[in-house]
Amino acid sequence: MTFTDRAEAGRALAKSLDYLRETRPLVLGLPRGGVLVAAQVAAELGTDLDIILVRKLGVPWQPELAMGAISEDGGRVLNPDVVHHARISRITLEDIEVQERIELERRSRVLRADGRRIAINGRTVVIVDDGVATGATAIAACALARAEGARWIVVAVPIGPPDVVRRLGAVADEVVCLVSPADMGGVGAAYDDFHQLADREVTDLLDEHSTIRGKLDRPNSDS
């Protein structure tokens, strides 16, 4: 199955998440690409949208292959098999983590320029990305949401390999994955348009959703 773009994938994902509508879940997108998918999910479910900041730790000579991930609360998860087979030394791992934490802090400043953050505690949260390959960033996001008191955690993605979906099931309360091919290549292969989002596109999506939600929640002045 191929999606035209992330927006189409988000609308399709929302249909599989409609059973959560009455819980008014908090939809959390993983920047950058996951935020576009999450924005569609939140819009279709008529609920809140925010970001959850995590960052992949890529193998130096193959950056798209995650040997782990870090989260904005200082957490770190590793893919031991990747670390072992790629023969990643402790020093290399630490150097890459330092670099990625710098980027994580930059994204926090830029994407949360107004300090905006919706509380997770006590809520059902839906963690959304545009797909998973190793699951490292989604696992890190789950750990962060759990630490911040999420009542129920759902990981929702358009595509991911079966073994990774099973791995996510061990850390999330539920996993919703639309397509799970055994011979999956990269996530981008599932999309006709898989362009890299800029920071501005992410902040615009968050601002637009916040504005729409504000208008819907505002009492009708004519009543």
Side-chain angles (χ1 to χ4, degrees), residues 20-35:
L20 293 172
R21 183 183 297 272
E22 296 305 314
T23 70
R24 292 180 61 84
L26 170 58
V27 179
L28 299 171
L30 272 65
R32 298 184 183 103
V35 180

Side-chain angles (χ1 to χ4, degrees), residues 16 29 48 56 68 74 83 111 116 125 134 139 152-153 174-175 199-200:
S16 294
D48 298 324
K56 175 169 55 183
V83 173
L111 302 183
R116 173 187 179 277
V125 299
T134 67
I139 290 171
W152 192 260
I153 299 174
E174 293 181 61
V175 180
D199 291 336
R200 181 60 183 269

Side-chain angles (χ1 to χ4, degrees), residues 28-34 51-58 63-73 75-79 100 104 107 127-146 153-157 159 164 167-168 171-172 187:
L28 299 171
L30 272 65
R32 298 184 183 103
I51 56 175
I52 187 164
L53 291 176
V54 293
R55 186 73 180 165
K56 175 169 55 183
L57 300 175
E64 290 306 309
L65 176 60
M67 57 185 176
I70 55 175
S71 56
E72 59 183 313
D73 67 342
R76 183 181 78 173
V77 298
L78 294 178
N79 284 333
E100 296 302 343
L104 200 59
R107 288 192 177 193
I127 295 171
V128 178
D129 204 355
D130 50 18
V132 291
T134 67
T137 52
I139 290 171
C142 286
L144 174 54
R146 191 79 68 189
I153 299 174
V154 181
V155 172
V157 291
I159 186 167
V164 174
R167 193 179 309 146
L168 289 171
V171 295
V187 171

Side-chain angles (χ1 to χ4, degrees), residues 5-21:
D5 53 24
R6 292 180 179 92
E8 180 189 60
R11 290 189 292 270
L13 198 54
K15 292 179 181 177
S16 294
L17 295 166
D18 193 67
Y19 69 98
L20 293 172
R21 183 183 297 272

Side-chain angles (χ1 to χ4, degrees), residues 7 10 25 35-36 39 42 52 58 62 66 80 97 103 105 111 128-129 131 147 170 180 187 192 197 206 219:
V35 180
L36 181 47
I52 187 164
Q62 193 176 351
E97 181 172 349
E103 173 60 15
E105 291 168 5
L111 302 183
V128 178
D129 204 355
S180 190
V187 171
D192 293 331
L197 271 69
L206 295 171

